[in-house]
Amino acid sequence: MTSVGTAPAIPLFDLRLDPSDLAAVEQTLRSGWLTMGPRVEAFEAEFAAHLGARHALCVSSCTAALHLAYLAAGVGPGDEVIVPSITFAATANAALYCGATPVFADIVGPHDPGIDPEHVAALIGPRTKAVCAVHFAGYPAAVDVLAPLCARHGIALIEDVAHAPSATLDGRRLGTFGLAGAFSFFSNKILSCGEGGLVCTDDDRVAELARRLRSQGMTSGTWSRHNGATDTYDASGLGFNYRLDEPRAALLHSRFARLADDIAHRRRIVHRYRILLSGVDGLIVPYRDSDIATSSCYVMPVLVADPSRQGPLRRFLRAERSVQTSLFYPAVHEFSAFEARLGAQSLPRSQRWARSELTIPLYPHLTEAEQDRVVEAIAEGLRR
Amino acid sequence: MSWTVPLTDVVVTEDDIAAVLACYEAGWLTMGPRTVAFEAALARFCGTRHAVAVSSGTAALHLACRAAGIGPGDEVIVPSLTFLATAHAPRYCGAHTVLCDSTSPTDMNLSVADVEARITPRTAAVIAVHFCGYAADVAALRELCDDRGLVLIEDMAQAIGARYADGGICGSAGELACLSFFSKKQLSVGEGGAVVTGSDASAAAVASLRSHAMTSGTWDRHRGHEESYDVVDLGYNFRIDEPRAALGLARIGRLAAEIEARRTAVGWYRERLADLERVALLWDDEAVGRSSHFAFPIRTDSHELRVALRAGLAQRGIQTTRYPALHVLGEYAGHAAGGGLDVAETLADRHVCLPLWAQIDEPTVERVCDAVRQVVASGPLPGTPTGPKAEADTC
């Protein structure tokens, strides 16, 4: 991690903060109170109200949020959690942290990389404790189908909402369809603070567990001891340090005011991308135009029709056009660590996706000229 | 409740603020050049070959245990008189935590003799905690661990900048040592930690496991070094981020001077309290000279006086704290097999940590000491011992 190499002319994502964001952080630093306190509480209240959820609890990352959500669902040694393979490793790793086994379900297909509810139904067995649905790129997975399916089997639905703050399905915020939702505030996310995450739930028991275990299993926090509410603590349960601190909460609170505007910009850019890319041969653009309005439009995935073009196209964009792309995602079940633990598995639609996807630049201030340059570069790369 | 004298205070300077704001303006928040620079500064400060920054001291302990190969079936010996995270860390790896006693009524650190007595064929490691900033007896622990083939991990969450009895700076006696940058610590950034080590392999393991054991990071991919990644082990998100690294980097330049300021304040306390009846100072002047002074604990003569002292100081607007012995907490009641944790239990029950931070001034220390004298003068006499209770305190 040295500074050699070059930053791309058009990066995958680009974070710009407003002077009001910096002022919020500055004020927090000047206060001298850095560990969880009033700013964390204020952001939690605001985010819970936005979601229409009873509880929102800030944590150190979405990985931490998923871990606490699975623990709250009762996931433990010997259990299984059904997860998609087209996701970040954390969705599956969190099951391993609980001593459980991740069981991978395939995705719906090239136009919808959400977890396939029919495959989920076929995988549910006596050891299944939970299903985790990832709302990929900001578009809803089929939680309207999965919620009743999980309820019938008496298992928990957990939503990985890392990509999809503020997105909706049937007018309801994603993250509120299951037992708990796990959000990410990682630096390249729609609402970011560096490292951070959040658990939302309507269930008081889940909230109590998450609140206790995010801070070592302690029954009181530093802030409540500082403000005199409590004087010492007991410990119950194997907890963690999954706390967020005040400067990050202040930044989130400040940036949250512009979230709707940021997402509106993203939607306009995605809409324009779809028009421009519709004329490019050899490319598949997932989702439908009508999906944009309720998506948070976190990233812009496209697929090459011929998987052999994936690597060459990405290298051409980077080396010849200084356009950064990413791969969302390598299939988790094909990672060395997962193959070593669980053996080789076949998930044809997920594997096809992982071998043909590239994620192209998307951020609220991406200009039309930059977009044109990205699309022209893709078209040219595919013609070669 | 608003304290007139808080337990501790975090003073953030204009330089600190400028460093953090410059980072946010640059717009790169996940681990990158500032984290690399902070790690280099930490390694220099601790005199170690490597420093790997992580999300917390707890994460540092967890990853140190993983890097040391701790796993199911292993036992790890840790002191009962410590913060919860020390004891949690082996359990995250599937190992069993065995609690050990403190050295003596004037030395809160783990007893080397008791560590030795608790070694079994399953013991894989010892975590030595440098409590309140005072270095444990690492020379004896190092010898014991070498003799018995055990890994020695240092929990120096409270002891950055402390010195061992031989004068060496903390961080190099164990295979790995763990730092915390929690907001109350000598070097604070909010939430953060680091592992320091002389081992290339251990540093590489910690760096990999802190970010899901991915073979490349976001920064590498941004700079065009890598197109994709593999996941090669069970890792975590224990990353620090750039704003916190920037804050740590800005503050570490003042750390040595701030530790000296803490030592001076501890001197003011010790002068004033040395002759006070019913209250004893911990450690001695030689140890004070080597400590990095995270906290200033004193020992009362009884449970009753400790309860009265904390309550009396709170009434006067003075915040204090106290560390329960872990085995009296619900979660660790089952980890005290065989008992024999009496020194830790009594110390935990009778100690009180008085306000301490780098900028505390002599009049404030004087005021706290006056309050201590007043409460002790009218304090309850030791009655029939009622036994320690973690939740018995009242404000």
Side-chain angles (χ1 to χ4, degrees):
Chain A
M1 268 200 330
T2 54
S3 300
V4 296
T6 53
I10 306 180
L12 184 67
F13 76 97
D14 189 39
L15 175 63
R16 277 194 198 164
L17 298 176
D18 190 83
S20 61
D21 301 332
L22 272 59
V25 174
E26 182 177 347
Q27 191 186 38
T28 305
L29 292 172
R30 285 189 195 286
S31 80
W33 190 266
L34 302 185
T35 190
M36 277 196 314
R39 289 167 181 87
V40 167
E41 285 175 12
F43 177 68
E44 289 176 344
E46 184 168 43
F47 205 77
H50 167 73
L51 292 173
R54 200 167 149 77
H55 304 280
L57 291 149
C58 287
V59 293
S60 54
S61 68
C62 187
T63 306
L66 287 163
H67 186 187
L68 295 178
Y70 292 170
L71 287 172
V75 175
D79 293 335
E80 293 177 351
V81 180
I82 299 174
V83 299
S85 182
I86 298 301
T87 182
F88 183 62
T91 318
N93 273 348
L96 295 170
Y97 303 157
C98 302
T101 302
V103 173
F104 293 101
D106 215 344
I107 59 172
V108 175
H111 286 277
D112 177 2
I115 193 168
D116 176 9
E118 288 183 22
H119 196 196
V120 170
L123 290 171
I124 291 175
R127 295 182 163 194
T128 309
K129 229 8 181 295
V131 175
C132 184
V134 177
H135 299 298
F136 190 90
Y139 302 83
V143 284
D144 50 343
V145 180
L146 290 167
L149 175 70
C150 289
R152 275 202 302 283
H153 288 275
I155 60 178
L157 174 64
I158 305 297
E159 294 174 84
D160 180 336
V161 211
H163 294 189
S166 202
T168 57
L169 174 62
D170 300 332
R172 186 166 155 191
R173 298 274 183 218
L174 300 182
T176 64
F177 285 79
L179 179 69
F183 291 83
S184 172
F185 305 128
F186 181 60
S187 63
N188 66 8
K189 293 300 194 301
I190 293 169
L191 179 62
S192 63
C193 67
E195 297 289 349
L198 179 143
V199 184
C200 75
T201 184
D202 284 334
D203 187 311
D204 294 350
R205 193 189 52 83
V206 170
E208 186 281 324
L209 181 138
R211 189 181 301 281
R212 185 162 41 82
L213 296 191
R214 76 172 160 180
S215 192
Q216 311 285 1
M218 288 160 72
T219 50
S220 77
T222 307
W223 177 246
S224 70
R225 293 195 297 280
H226 180 76
N227 68 23
T230 55
D231 172 76
T232 186
Y233 57 86
D234 195 7
S236 166
L238 179 60
F240 311 91
N241 181 345
Y242 282 163
R243 296 185 298 264
L244 193 77
D245 52 24
E246 290 281 281
R248 284 179 282 168
L251 181 60
L252 289 168
H253 186 75
S254 174
R255 296 195 63 201
F256 183 76
R258 292 193 312 281
L259 179 63
D261 277 352
D262 283 348
I263 291 174
H265 283 295
R266 289 173 174 274
R267 286 174 180 155
R268 275 198 291 279
I269 293 163
V270 169
H271 185 69
R272 189 163 183 276
Y273 259 142
R274 295 184 67 88
I275 293 168
L276 296 174
L277 291 167
S278 66
V280 177
D281 284 337
L283 210 62
I284 297 164
V285 181
Y287 306 109
R288 298 163 301 182
D289 293 345
S290 58
D291 295 330
I292 297 173
T294 54
S295 169
S296 54
C297 295
Y298 165 50
V299 287
M300 182 72 201
V302 297
L303 309 180
V304 287
D306 172 3
S308 74
R309 309 301 298 273
Q310 183 196 39
L313 179 58
R314 288 192 64 199
R315 283 191 289 276
F316 170 78
L317 292 172
R318 176 77 204 198
E320 307 289 327
R321 293 294 179 269
S322 199
V323 172
Q324 186 187 13
T325 64
S326 186
L327 167 53
F328 276 61
Y329 290 100
V332 175
H333 73 281
E334 296 191 297
F335 284 134
S336 315
F338 285 88
E339 284 199 349
R341 188 185 287 268
L342 305 169
Q345 300 171 67
S346 174
L347 296 165
R349 285 166 276 162
S350 298
Q351 287 158 213
R352 172 75 189 257
W353 176 280
R355 285 158 183 63
S356 50
E357 198 267 354
L358 57 159
T359 305
I360 64 177
L362 175 60
Y363 39 91
H365 53 276
L366 185 72
T367 65
E368 294 196 349
E370 287 167 333
Q371 262 196 297
D372 292 343
R373 191 170 149 188
V374 171
V375 173
E376 282 160 20
I378 292 170
E380 192 188 341
L382 286 173
R383 278 197 301 271
R384 289 196 164 193
Chain B
M1 181 158 198
S2 170
W3 301 100
T4 53
V5 185
L7 181 65
T8 189
D9 192 22
V10 181
V11 176
V12 179
T13 67
E14 295 305 315
D15 287 350
D16 296 345
I17 290 168
V20 175
L21 297 186
C23 176
Y24 283 119
E25 275 162 9
W28 190 266
L29 302 189
T30 189
M31 290 192 308
R34 287 172 174 83
T35 301
V36 173
F38 180 45
E39 291 173 338
L42 283 168
R44 270 197 305 277
F45 190 90
C46 297
T48 56
R49 193 169 159 79
H50 302 281
V52 184
V54 295
S55 55
S56 68
T58 307
L61 286 160
H62 183 175
L63 295 186
C65 286
R66 280 290 307 275
I70 305 301
D74 290 336
E75 292 177 359
V76 178
I77 301 172
V78 316
S80 184
L81 191 45
T82 184
F83 181 61
L84 283 162
T86 322
H88 283 352
R91 296 173 64 202
Y92 300 149
C93 303
H96 179 67
T97 294
V98 174
L99 299 176
C100 73
D101 208 358
S102 295
T103 299
S104 76
T106 55
D107 181 348
M108 301 176 100
N109 282 319
L110 77 175
S111 156
V112 181
D114 195 48
V115 169
E116 185 166 16
R118 291 174 195 272
I119 293 173
T120 74
R122 294 187 159 193
T123 306
V126 176
I127 304 181
V129 179
H130 305 306
F131 201 62
C132 295
Y134 295 81
D137 184 1
V138 290
L141 284 166
R142 185 69 270 175
E143 193 180 341
L144 176 64
C145 287
D146 287 344
D147 283 352
R148 307 297 285 268
L150 308 179
V151 175
L152 177 61
I153 295 170
E154 294 176 82
D155 177 345
M156 52 184 290
Q158 303 185 350
I160 189 168
R163 292 191 176 271
Y164 304 130
D166 69 3
I169 191 154
C170 262
S172 56
E175 279 82 347
L176 303 114
C178 303
L179 303 171
S180 166
F181 312 125
F182 181 59
S183 60
K184 295 192 298 183
K185 297 292 165 48
Q186 294 97 323
L187 179 61
S188 64
V189 303
E191 297 287 352
V195 176
V196 294
T197 180
S199 156
D200 296 351
S202 292
V206 171
S208 169
L209 296 175
R210 78 173 156 182
S211 191
H212 286 289
M214 292 160 70
T215 51
S216 75
T218 308
W219 177 251
D220 294 314
R221 294 194 295 279
H222 180 73
R223 305 297 292 189
H225 293 304
E226 298 291 339
E227 294 281 350
S228 188
Y229 57 88
D230 192 12
V231 170
V232 295
D233 200 347
L234 177 60
Y236 312 88
N237 180 349
F238 287 161
R239 294 184 297 264
I240 197 164
D241 52 23
E242 288 283 274
R244 284 178 283 165
L247 183 57
L249 191 58
R251 295 170 73 86
I252 198 169
R254 300 196 305 275
L255 179 57
E258 292 191 345
I259 289 170
E260 287 312 313
R262 287 171 177 265
R263 194 184 328 279
T264 300
V266 166
W268 295 331
Y269 271 125
R270 291 178 72 95
E271 271 167 41
R272 285 164 175 79
L273 299 175
D275 299 324
L276 185 60
E277 297 270 313
R278 303 193 60 193
V279 167
L281 300 176
L282 293 159
W283 287 287
D284 58 20
D285 290 346
E286 192 274 333
V288 167
R290 295 188 283 109
S291 171
S292 64
H293 301 288
F294 166 64
F296 179 65
I298 56 173
R299 194 188 76 237
T300 64
D301 67 357
S302 60
H303 170 80
E304 291 79 0
L305 183 58
R306 184 267 293 173
V307 172
L309 183 57
R310 290 201 69 196
L313 292 177
Q315 276 167 13
R316 290 162 176 79
I318 297 167
Q319 188 184 17
T320 63
T321 195
R322 180 179 81 82
Y323 285 84
L326 295 186
H327 66 278
V328 308
L329 303 180
E331 184 63 19
Y332 280 92
H335 290 252
L341 299 169
D342 302 342
V343 179
E345 189 166 323
T346 304
L347 264 172
D349 185 42
R350 295 185 182 177
H351 82 280
V352 174
C353 294
L354 299 179
L356 181 65
W357 64 96
Q359 293 80 8
I360 194 170
D361 58 18
E362 196 165 7
T364 305
V365 169
E366 176 67 40
R367 198 157 119 211
V368 174
C369 291
D370 280 345
V372 170
R373 285 187 207 103
Q374 286 169 22
V375 177
V376 169
S378 61
L381 292 171
T384 309
T386 54
K389 289 196 183 78
E391 292 178 302
D393 305 21
T394 49
C395 264

